[in-house]
Structures are given as C-alpha cells and as structure tokens.
Coordinates of all heavy atoms in Angstrom, one line a residue:
E1 N -6.0 -3.0 4.0 CA -4.7 -2.5 3.4 C -3.8 -3.7 3.2 O -3.6 -4.5 4.1 CB -4.1 -1.5 4.3 CG -2.6 -1.0 3.9 CD -2.1 -0.1 4.9 OE1 -2.7 1.0 5.2 OE2 -1.0 -0.3 5.5
I2 N -3.1 -3.8 2.0 CA -2.0 -4.8 1.8 C -0.8 -4.0 1.2 O -1.0 -3.0 0.5 CB -2.4 -6.0 0.9 CG1 -3.0 -5.4 -0.4 CG2 -3.5 -6.8 1.6 CD1 -3.2 -6.5 -1.4
G3 N 0.4 -4.5 1.5 CA 1.5 -3.8 0.9 C 2.8 -4.6 1.0 O 2.9 -5.7 1.6
I4 N 3.9 -4.1 0.4 CA 5.2 -4.7 0.4 C 6.2 -3.7 0.6 O 6.1 -2.6 -0.1 CB 5.4 -5.5 -0.8 CG1 6.7 -6.3 -0.8 CG2 5.3 -4.7 -2.1 CD1 6.8 -7.4 -1.9
D5 N 7.2 -3.9 1.3 CA 8.4 -3.0 1.6 C 9.7 -3.8 1.2 O 9.9 -4.8 1.6 CB 8.6 -2.6 3.0 CG 7.3 -1.8 3.5 OD1 6.4 -1.5 2.7 OD2 7.1 -1.9 4.8
I6 N 10.5 -3.0 0.4 CA 11.8 -3.7 -0.1 C 12.9 -2.6 0.2 O 12.8 -1.5 -0.3 CB 11.8 -4.1 -1.5 CG1 10.6 -5.0 -1.8 CG2 13.1 -4.8 -1.9 CD1 10.5 -5.3 -3.3
I7 N 13.9 -3.0 0.8 CA 15.0 -2.1 1.1 C 16.3 -2.8 0.7 O 16.6 -3.9 1.1 CB 15.2 -1.8 2.7 CG1 13.9 -1.1 3.1 CG2 16.3 -0.8 2.9 CD1 13.8 -0.9 4.6
F8 N 17.1 -2.2 -0.3 CA 18.3 -2.7 -0.8 C 19.5 -2.2 -0.1 O 19.5 -1.1 0.6 CB 18.3 -2.3 -2.3 CG 17.3 -2.9 -3.1 CD1 16.2 -2.1 -3.4 CD2 17.3 -4.2 -3.6 CE1 15.1 -2.7 -4.2 CE2 16.2 -4.7 -4.4 CZ 15.2 -4.0 -4.6
P9 N 20.6 -3.0 -0.1 CA 21.8 -2.5 0.6 C 22.4 -1.3 0.1 O 23.1 -0.6 0.7 CB 22.8 -3.7 0.4 CG 21.9 -4.9 0.0 CD 20.7 -4.3 -0.6
E10 N 22.1 -0.9 -1.2 CA 22.6 0.3 -1.8 C 21.8 1.6 -1.3 O 21.9 2.6 -2.0 CB 22.6 0.2 -3.3 CG 23.5 -0.9 -3.9 CD 22.7 -2.3 -3.9 OE1 21.5 -2.3 -3.4 OE2 23.4 -3.3 -4.2
H11 N 21.1 1.4 -0.3 CA 20.3 2.5 0.4 C 19.0 2.8 -0.5 O 18.4 3.9 -0.1 CB 21.1 3.7 0.5 CG 22.5 3.5 1.3 ND1 22.5 3.2 2.5 CD2 23.7 3.6 0.8 CE1 23.7 3.0 2.9 NE2 24.5 3.3 1.9
Y12 N 18.6 2.0 -1.4 CA 17.4 2.3 -2.2 C 16.2 1.5 -1.4 O 16.5 0.5 -0.8 CB 17.5 1.9 -3.6 CG 18.4 2.7 -4.4 CD1 19.7 2.2 -4.7 CD2 18.0 3.9 -5.0 CE1 20.5 3.0 -5.5 CE2 18.8 4.7 -5.8 CZ 20.1 4.1 -6.0 OH 21.0 4.9 -6.8
S13 N 15.1 2.0 -1.5 CA 13.9 1.4 -0.9 C 12.6 1.6 -1.8 O 12.5 2.6 -2.6 CB 13.6 1.9 0.4 OG 13.4 3.3 0.4
I14 N 11.8 0.6 -1.9 CA 10.5 0.6 -2.6 C 9.4 0.3 -1.6 O 9.5 -0.8 -0.9 CB 10.6 -0.3 -3.8 CG1 11.7 0.0 -4.8 CG2 9.1 -0.2 -4.5 CD1 11.8 -0.9 -5.9
F15 N 8.3 1.0 -1.6 CA 7.2 0.7 -0.8 C 5.9 0.8 -1.7 O 5.7 1.8 -2.3 CB 7.0 1.7 0.4 CG 8.3 1.8 1.2 CD1 9.2 2.8 1.0 CD2 8.6 0.9 2.2 CE1 10.3 2.9 1.8 CE2 9.6 0.9 3.0 CZ 10.5 2.0 2.8
I16 N 5.0 -0.2 -1.6 CA 3.8 -0.3 -2.4 C 2.7 -0.7 -1.5 O 2.8 -1.6 -0.8 CB 3.9 -1.3 -3.5 CG1 5.2 -0.9 -4.5 CG2 2.6 -1.2 -4.4 CD1 5.3 -2.0 -5.6
I17 N 1.6 0.2 -1.4 CA 0.5 -0.1 -0.5 C -0.9 0.1 -1.4 O -1.0 1.2 -2.0 CB 0.5 0.8 0.7 CG1 1.8 0.6 1.6 CG2 -0.8 0.6 1.6 CD1 1.9 1.6 2.7
Y18 N -1.7 -0.9 -1.2 CA -3.1 -0.7 -1.7 C -4.0 -0.7 -0.5 O -4.0 -1.6 0.3 CB -3.4 -1.8 -2.8 CG -4.9 -1.9 -3.0 CD1 -5.5 -1.0 -3.9 CD2 -5.7 -2.8 -2.4 CE1 -6.8 -1.0 -4.2 CE2 -7.0 -2.9 -2.7 CZ -7.6 -2.0 -3.6 OH -9.0 -2.1 -3.9
E19 N -5.0 0.2 -0.6 CA -6.0 0.3 0.5 C -7.4 0.5 0.0 O -7.5 1.1 -1.1 CB -5.6 1.4 1.6 CG -5.7 2.8 1.0 CD -5.5 3.8 2.1 OE1 -4.9 3.5 3.1 OE2 -5.9 5.0 1.9
R20 N -8.3 0.0 0.7 CA -9.7 0.3 0.4 C -10.4 0.7 1.8 O -10.3 0.0 2.7 CB -10.4 -0.9 -0.1 CG -12.0 -0.8 -0.2 CD -12.7 -1.9 -0.9 NE -12.5 -1.7 -2.4 CZ -13.1 -2.4 -3.3 NH1 -14.1 -3.2 -3.0 NH2 -12.8 -2.1 -4.6
N21 N -11.2 1.8 1.7 CA -12.0 2.3 2.8 C -13.4 2.2 2.4 O -13.9 2.9 1.5 CB -11.5 3.8 3.0 CG -10.1 3.9 3.4 OD1 -9.6 3.2 4.2 ND2 -9.4 4.9 2.9
H22 N -14.2 1.3 3.2 CA -15.5 1.1 2.9 C -16.4 1.5 4.0 O -16.3 1.2 5.1 CB -15.7 -0.5 2.6 CG -17.1 -0.8 2.2 ND1 -17.4 -0.9 0.9 CD2 -18.1 -1.2 3.0 CE1 -18.6 -1.3 0.8 NE2 -19.1 -1.4 2.1
A23 N -17.3 2.4 3.7 CA -18.4 2.9 4.5 C -19.7 2.1 4.2 O -20.2 2.2 3.1 CB -18.6 4.4 4.4
F24 N -20.2 1.4 5.2 CA -21.3 0.6 5.0 C -22.5 1.4 4.5 O -22.8 2.5 5.1 CB -21.7 -0.2 6.3 CG -20.7 -1.2 6.7 CD1 -20.3 -1.2 8.1 CD2 -20.2 -2.1 5.9 CE1 -19.3 -2.1 8.5 CE2 -19.2 -3.0 6.2 CZ -18.8 -3.0 7.5
S25 N -23.1 0.9 3.5 CA -24.4 1.5 2.9 C -24.1 2.8 2.2 O -25.1 3.4 1.5 CB -25.5 1.8 4.0 OG -25.1 3.0 4.7
T26 N -22.9 3.3 2.1 CA -22.6 4.6 1.3 C -21.6 4.4 0.2 O -21.6 5.3 -0.7 CB -22.2 5.7 2.3 OG1 -21.1 5.3 3.1 CG2 -23.3 6.0 3.4
G27 N -20.8 3.5 0.4 CA -19.7 3.4 -0.8 C -18.3 3.2 -0.2 O -18.1 3.0 1.0
Y28 N -17.3 3.2 -1.2 CA -15.9 3.0 -0.8 C -15.0 3.8 -1.7 O -15.3 4.3 -2.7 CB -15.6 1.4 -0.9 CG -15.7 0.9 -2.3 CD1 -14.7 1.0 -3.2 CD2 -16.9 0.3 -2.8 CE1 -14.7 0.5 -4.5 CE2 -17.0 -0.1 -4.0 CZ -15.9 0.0 -4.9 OH -16.0 -0.5 -6.2
T29 N -13.8 3.8 -1.2 CA -12.7 4.5 -2.0 C -11.5 3.6 -2.0 O -11.2 2.8 -1.1 CB -12.3 5.9 -1.4 OG1 -11.8 5.6 0.0 CG2 -13.5 6.8 -1.4
D30 N -10.8 3.6 -3.1 CA -9.6 2.8 -3.3 C -8.3 3.8 -3.5 O -8.5 4.8 -4.2 CB -9.6 1.9 -4.6 CG -10.7 0.8 -4.3 OD1 -10.7 0.2 -3.2 OD2 -11.4 0.5 -5.3

C-alpha cells in the first residue's frame, strides 16, 4: 500500500491510497 494525506487549514482534507493484494500462485487485486 502507498498513499498520501493532505490536510488544509480551512478544514479540508484529501486522502489517496493505492493497494495491491497478491495471493501467491492464484492472482492479485488492485
């Protein structure tokens, strides 16, 4: 998983996360 969090003084916030779940020999999901 990788991501970034941004919180502004005006009480706004942005969160972005990318993740990959990999099961050996069977496949993965993004």
Side-chain angles (χ1 to χ4, degrees):
E1 175 187 300
I2 56 174
I4 186 170
D5 303 341
I6 307 174
I7 303 175
F8 298 94
E10 296 83 5
H11 307 294
Y12 292 97
S13 59
I14 301 174
F15 306 98
I16 302 174
I17 299 174
Y18 166 77
E19 69 175 16
R20 168 168 287 193
N21 301 315
H22 185 89
F24 294 133
S25 76
T26 55
Y28 63 87
T29 60
D30 292 317

